[in-house]
Amino acid sequence: MTTQIDEPPVIRFTHVNKDFPGHRALDDLTFEISRGELVAIVGVTGCGKSTTFGLTLGLTEPTSGEVRVSGHDPYTEFAWFRRRMAVVFQDPRLLPWRTVLHNVYAGMKFAGVPKEQWDSRARDWLTRLGLGGKEDVYPHTLSGGQRQRVSIARAFAVDPDLILCDESFSALDEVTSVALRREFVDLVRDNNKTGVVITHSISEALTIGDRILVLRPPGHLCDDIKLPVDPGPAELEELRARVLSQMTPQVGAADSARGEA
Amino acid sequence: MATPTVSPTTSAPPPPEAATTKRKGIRRFVDPSLLVMILVLLGVWALVSRFTPAYAVPPIPSVAKELGTMVTDPESIASLFTTLARVLVGLVSAFFVGGVIGVSMGMNAAASRLLLPPIRFVQGIPSLSWVIIAVIWFADVEIRVWFVMVLVTLPGFALQVYDSYRAIPSDLRDMARSFRPARWSLFREITLPAITPGIFTAWKVNLGLGIRMVLIAELVGATVGVGAQLLTAQQLFDMASVISWTLLLAVCMLVLQAVIELIESRVLRYRPPVTDQRQARPATTTPKV
């Protein structure tokens, strides 16, 4: 972790509420994420993960409270975040009419990266992600794992400060998912980025993050866990039980009751 | 920035062989069943023409002779090219106006509410009504033909572009928006490629419609063009000429369709090949009782 003293947090949610017609998606959510941290936000379906993601991206605005990313409002200062933020979505969202290389170009074009840098950056990232030689093929010829690699290359090629992942590895098979997750963590750490991974998988959260923020419906933070460096199996099992009990209190209570019995 | 290079763990399976198999020899260019059908039609035509007067069903040799004369006669060629030029000018005009209307309706809900009812209303007006209106409103033949062409084909372009715009996956837009793109980049990278297949469909449909309409428009007042030539042939009971002009125009339309399909296959080359479902289907066995 490379947090610096006096540096403002990269992401700061302050008493954020978000209401949709008929229900509250986020309830008084407050947390901070510092520069260089890799944080997993975990919770069951409907706990407000996607809403938190949308607010951080600036796709929607809070009903009340304050969202700040690098000290700026991502909703009202939408354009300020060009080249400062990139997303890896659950499905790769590649442009079917562009080759692999041009898909990576597209991200840089959208983000306003100077054109003369597109080619070297795109080829570099595709090679790092094991897609050298696939530059000129169309996405439909790739496997799911390769497509997701292209989307990771597209995000990193922009060279953003903050990388957001929305369930990015959950649609893949277990082997590919584990390999990609590991690559992603290495890339974030080696390139000194700040990473936020939204996930519903506890094991994914435990392997990815420096910290885990546990959300519980209706969108409030019920635990903020700082993960130890290189935890042992027993420690991991303990953490898993803690996260599970926070995500779903009734399951946690039942487990405790069984343990006591 | 040193990062380990990791090989992909999986790769996509190769496409089924049936999908990539190409036809060989003459069958690459001509479908054998089409060839058989043409031969059967010619046989029926030759048979019928033996028992009917020439003004009703002329014999094949006289039509062939008429066709030969046409393709070497500068005046006939001028008529043919005039008609084709009218079709293309009308279609290009309708495409640009219809395309702008379609995209505007897709981008803006207010524009959609405002423009969709009149577009649908115009689409419901019979083509012949536009011909009559054009004759009353405009003295100039070229303007009449252009007016009819645009009014008849514009709704097709506008509605096809509008529907294609609405079909753009919101996932792609959100992906692009996450990078904070300029409007032009978004249009160039997402909107335009996404609506392009719909534009080709509209062109293929409107080309046939346009050729049919231009003939009707040329029948009223034009002195040059295939429509005018057909009117003259009808007045002279010259059936060989009528059939020759019709065949010539049909061939021109097929050539134009082929050109559009060629451009389409180049522009949309990213699309995966179509697999033959009959070959892809697994063999089924009927259980013996």
Side-chain angles (χ1 to χ4, degrees), chain A residues 3-51:
Chain A
T3 312
Q4 290 168 13
I5 299 166
D6 294 337
E7 192 177 9
V10 174
I11 300 176
R12 178 189 281 153
F13 274 54
T14 312
H15 302 295
V16 172
N17 293 305
K18 178 68 184 175
D19 294 328
F20 291 110
H23 80 285
R24 169 157 284 198
L26 292 183
D27 183 32
D28 196 29
L29 185 62
T30 299
F31 68 86
E32 288 183 357
I33 294 174
S34 303
R35 184 166 304 284
E37 273 193 305
L38 189 44
V39 177
I41 299 179
V42 67
V44 294
T45 306
C47 73
K49 299 190 298 290
S50 296
T51 308

Side-chain angles (χ1 to χ4, degrees), chain A residues 101-148:
Chain A
L101 186 67
H102 280 85
N103 264 284
V104 183
Y105 283 178
M108 289 186 274
K109 184 175 185 179
F110 291 142
V113 174
K115 196 173 182 178
E116 58 274 12
Q117 296 178 19
W118 294 359
D119 196 64
S120 58
R121 284 199 196 189
R123 288 182 192 280
D124 179 34
W125 278 105
L126 287 172
T127 307
R128 286 188 198 195
L129 284 154
L131 290 166
K134 297 275 184 193
E135 291 88 350
D136 297 325
V137 302
Y138 286 100
H140 74 264
T141 64
L142 302 177
S143 67
Q146 288 174 323
R147 281 198 281 264
Q148 194 60 288

Side-chain angles (χ1 to χ4, degrees), chain A:
Chain A
M1 212 169 82
T2 56
T3 312
Q4 290 168 13
I5 299 166
D6 294 337
E7 192 177 9
V10 174
I11 300 176
R12 178 189 281 153
F13 274 54
T14 312
H15 302 295
V16 172
N17 293 305
K18 178 68 184 175
D19 294 328
F20 291 110
H23 80 285
R24 169 157 284 198
L26 292 183
D27 183 32
D28 196 29
L29 185 62
T30 299
F31 68 86
E32 288 183 357
I33 294 174
S34 303
R35 184 166 304 284
E37 273 193 305
L38 189 44
V39 177
I41 299 179
V42 67
V44 294
T45 306
C47 73
K49 299 190 298 290
S50 296
T51 308
T52 307
F53 179 78
L55 287 164
T56 310
L57 256 183
L59 298 177
T60 179
E61 62 178 335
T63 307
S64 62
E66 189 180 74
V67 176
R68 288 288 178 269
V69 180
S70 300
H72 293 259
D73 184 335
Y75 186 78
T76 56
E77 299 174 76
F78 195 80
W80 187 86
F81 289 92
R82 280 187 109 193
R83 297 168 67 179
R84 292 187 166 96
M85 200 192 281
V87 184
V88 181
F89 290 94
Q90 181 174 17
D91 77 282
R93 304 190 183 187
L94 302 181
L95 305 176
W97 42 82
R98 293 279 183 247
T99 61
V100 164
L101 186 67
H102 280 85
N103 264 284
V104 183
Y105 283 178
M108 289 186 274
K109 184 175 185 179
F110 291 142
V113 174
K115 196 173 182 178
E116 58 274 12
Q117 296 178 19
W118 294 359
D119 196 64
S120 58
R121 284 199 196 189
R123 288 182 192 280
D124 179 34
W125 278 105
L126 287 172
T127 307
R128 286 188 198 195
L129 284 154
L131 290 166
K134 297 275 184 193
E135 291 88 350
D136 297 325
V137 302
Y138 286 100
H140 74 264
T141 64
L142 302 177
S143 67
Q146 288 174 323
R147 281 198 281 264
Q148 194 60 288
R149 280 187 168 83
V150 178
S151 79
I152 292 173
R154 181 178 61 196
F156 275 93
V158 171
D159 195 21
D161 302 325
L162 173 65
I163 301 250
L164 298 168
C165 286
D166 183 19
E167 310 266 11
S168 308
F169 315 108
S170 62
L172 302 166
D173 64 85
E174 185 67 18
V175 175
T176 312
S177 168
V178 168
L180 262 183
R181 214 184 288 159
R182 199 174 300 136
E183 287 169 40
F184 175 78
V185 171
D186 289 344
L187 290 173
V188 170
R189 293 198 195 292
D190 293 346
N191 292 283
N192 199 26
K193 307 289 180 198
T194 305
V196 177
V197 177
I198 307 277
T199 181
H200 61 258
S201 160
I202 298 174
S203 43
E204 187 169 297
L206 287 168
T207 50
I208 278 184
D210 300 320
R211 266 169 74 200
I212 299 180
L213 302 180
V214 185
L215 296 189
R216 189 191 295 166
H220 68 263
L221 185 67
C222 57
D223 207 350
D224 182 347
I225 306 169
K226 175 108 178 63
L227 293 177
V229 180
D230 203 13
E235 211 171 358
L236 272 177
E237 201 47 53
E238 202 177 301
L239 284 166
R240 184 190 306 276
R242 178 176 165 186
V243 173
L244 185 64
S245 67
Q246 291 295 341
M247 277 168 69
T248 51
Q250 63 277 28
V251 174
D255 282 353
S256 303
R258 268 199 299 274
E260 283 164 16

